[in-house]
Amino acid sequence: MKYYSTRDKAHARPCSLREAVEAGLAPDGGLFVPERIPQADMAVAERLAGESYAALAGYLAALFFGEDIDAGILQREIGRIYDFQVPLRPVGSRYTLELFHGPTFAFKDFGAGFMGRMVGLLGGADEKLVILTATSGDTGSAVAHGFYNVPGVEVVLLYPEGKISRLQECQMTALGGNIHPLRVGGTFDDCQRLVKELFADSSFRAAHRVSSANSINLLRWIPQAFYYFYGYFRWRQAAGGESPVVVVPSGNYGNLSAGMLARRMGLPLGGFVAASNANDVVPEFLRTGDYRPRPSVRTLANAMDVGAPSNFERMMWLCGGDADALRGELLGFRCDDAMIRRTIDGLYRNYGYLSDPHSAVGYAASVACGRPGFYLSTAHPAKFGEVISPVTGAKVPLPPRLAELVKRPRVSEPMAVDLGALEEYVAGV
């Protein structure tokens, strides 16, 4: 399998998997995508989903990566990565696929854990490799865990100072070792822009091995398609329906574009709802046809505070550049902070269900949509106790792993929104 930039219409510049993963962002500024989208055998996928999530993921991963990584080794490593539950739960009359039972209690574990293992298998860390990642919350902790103590890899994490939750910050800043957190005096968009500018600096890239573990990296993006298959089989078993609509809490749109990828692999989904907070660039586009990236605003669902979503480019690529086709596949939904609070409160009062703010956006969108299907729950409520407890009056218990992290000292360094300062730091790790 070769990989091309979304902007390489003529397929003139093919890259191997290792080359695409190490580059992160394509030289022309586009995002890497596979030369073809493999088709899943749904009967095989359903049988394996009945065995375990890891068995299903191993089969789907081999469709993309089987030419680069031995299938037996791939399945062994996937069994180690996905050693946690992926339950579909009823919430009132709706269903949710809980994606927050991994090591850092967020859906980012599916992509970041996979990438951390695969970089080693591809030989990407044979000499020092710097993984550079911008995070609006949960990406940083998942990447830190996925690459923690991977030989030959140094991880530099950029997060907006004062704009993520205390536990999210603890998960990034309490590890030490090869994890280097930078608290940036700006927004997530500033962090993401710095990363993109560094990758666009060809002279710096020529002198330093740097890659990204954001969802712009295809090794982060593709594995997120696999849980749509698992959710589909679990939902069909529970609800007895066909062609579910999947509601996706969305920020940088790696998650939703992965669902679109799964659909093109043969998964019979009925479409998607792009569920956003006040940063509603994509829902606005779906409503008006006008795509207007803009500075993000801070909300209770901080991991979705993205005003210029990178993966919109992959979404358009998946639709062959046809904006009307994209608008036909997605519905949009906007949820402000007041609605997030009402939804969190209602879920607890009516069902005794504690929901983090991002998943609450998904539930609200699922109710508003009203079509059969399920929504994705993307983070454990314990990571947002400071939001949930004042709304519900309930104390949110911490899982033991999170409780232990809170006790550790936090170490991070300040960083201005300055490309030169970032390049100097990266060169010295």
Side-chain angles (χ1 to χ4, degrees):
M1 179 82 80
K2 296 296 183 183
Y3 298 87
Y4 295 87
S5 169
T6 46
R7 302 178 188 181
D8 183 6
K9 308 300 183 186
H11 281 194
R13 295 176 294 278
C15 288
S16 68
L17 176 61
R18 177 172 170 169
E19 289 169 339
V21 169
E22 290 192 16
L25 196 66
D28 61 6
L31 305 185
F32 282 110
V33 290
E35 63 179 335
R36 57 181 173 79
I37 298 176
Q39 296 302 291
D41 184 319
M42 291 299 291
V44 172
E46 184 170 19
R47 175 177 59 80
L48 293 171
E51 295 179 13
S52 68
Y53 180 82
L56 171 64
Y59 163 66
L60 297 173
L63 298 179
F64 288 95
F65 310 124
E67 297 172 9
D68 296 278
I69 303 171
D70 176 80
I73 295 174
L74 185 62
Q75 185 63 67
R76 182 196 69 202
E77 293 301 314
I78 284 176
R80 293 172 177 172
I81 299 164
Y82 303 129
D83 61 350
F84 50 87
Q85 296 298 307
V86 190
L88 182 80
R89 297 196 189 282
V91 183
S93 61
R94 317 304 300 173
Y95 288 91
T96 186
L97 187 67
E98 291 185 346
L99 301 175
F100 54 71
H101 295 281
T104 71
F105 303 96
F107 83 97
K108 305 292 179 75
D109 287 322
F110 287 88
F114 184 91
M115 183 178 177
R117 294 273 188 176
M118 295 307 119
V119 164
L121 292 180
L122 290 169
D126 292 344
E127 55 184 292
K128 188 178 82 169
L129 174 68
V130 178
I131 296 293
L132 182 64
T133 296
T135 178
S136 56
D138 287 325
T139 293
S141 54
V143 169
H145 183 275
F147 284 90
Y148 183 54
N149 284 341
V150 172
V153 174
E154 301 292 331
V155 179
V156 177
L157 304 170
L158 286 73
Y159 68 93
E161 184 172 13
K163 296 179 176 66
I164 66 175
S165 78
R166 181 175 64 99
L167 277 170
Q168 286 174 323
E169 189 170 23
C170 282
Q171 287 184 300
M172 286 184 282
T173 60
L175 291 175
N178 65 327
I179 309 301
H180 310 279
L182 301 177
R183 55 185 195 277
V184 176
T187 66
F188 168 74
D189 293 324
D190 294 321
C191 298
Q192 181 167 254
R193 187 175 65 255
L194 282 174
V195 170
K196 287 186 173 182
E197 288 175 352
L198 185 144
F199 280 110
D201 186 341
S202 57
S203 60
F204 183 86
R205 295 289 302 282
H208 303 88
R209 293 186 73 232
V210 183
S211 186
S212 171
N214 280 94
S215 57
I216 62 173
N217 197 302
L218 66 90
L219 213 52
R220 264 281 316 278
W221 172 57
I222 289 175
Q224 294 182 129
F226 305 160
Y227 49 69
Y228 285 87
F229 283 84
Y230 193 76
Y232 167 80
F233 292 123
R234 296 283 78 79
W235 177 83
R236 198 176 68 175
Q237 187 178 52
E242 298 288 341
S243 301
V245 170
V246 184
V247 178
V248 187
S250 300
N252 210 22
Y253 285 84
N255 199 359
L256 198 151
S257 61
M260 294 173 63
L261 176 65
R263 197 180 192 201
R264 284 151 181 79
M265 293 172 67
L267 187 63
L269 300 178
F272 303 91
V273 179
S276 82
N277 56 19
N279 297 283
D280 62 340
V281 172
V282 171
E284 179 187 75
F285 163 77
L286 297 172
R287 186 177 69 253
T288 67
D290 187 15
Y291 182 65
R292 296 188 308 118
R294 49 191 178 268
S296 61
V297 297
R298 187 177 180 182
T299 76
L300 296 175
N302 65 282
M304 294 156 55
D305 292 349
V306 182
S310 295
N311 283 285
F312 184 77
E313 186 159 335
R314 276 198 179 110
M315 293 160 69
M316 288 297 295
W317 175 82
L318 286 162
C319 289
D322 186 339
D324 288 337
L326 179 60
R327 294 171 69 192
E329 187 167 358
L330 311 182
L331 298 173
F333 181 81
R334 181 185 189 276
C335 190
D336 62 19
D337 279 359
M339 182 180 289
I340 290 174
R341 289 190 179 95
R342 289 196 301 272
T343 303
I344 291 171
D345 182 47
L347 285 169
Y348 183 69
R349 284 189 296 104
N350 294 329
Y351 311 118
Y353 188 83
L354 291 170
S355 174
D356 88 282
H358 311 79
S359 305
V361 172
Y363 177 82
S366 182
V367 171
C369 169
R371 294 171 64 182
F374 57 94
Y375 71 96
L376 304 183
S377 283
T378 56
H380 196 290
K383 300 180 80 167
F384 296 90
E386 67 268 32
V387 176
I388 297 169
S389 291
V391 171
T392 63
K395 184 176 181 180
V396 186
L398 285 180
R401 277 180 292 175
L402 285 181
E404 180 60 33
L405 274 177
V406 174
K407 300 174 186 176
R408 297 184 187 177
R410 286 178 279 174
V411 178
S412 63
E413 295 190 33
M415 173 67 62
V417 183
D418 181 86
L419 177 61
L422 177 61
E423 290 184 341
E424 182 179 356
Y425 184 89
V426 170
V429 296

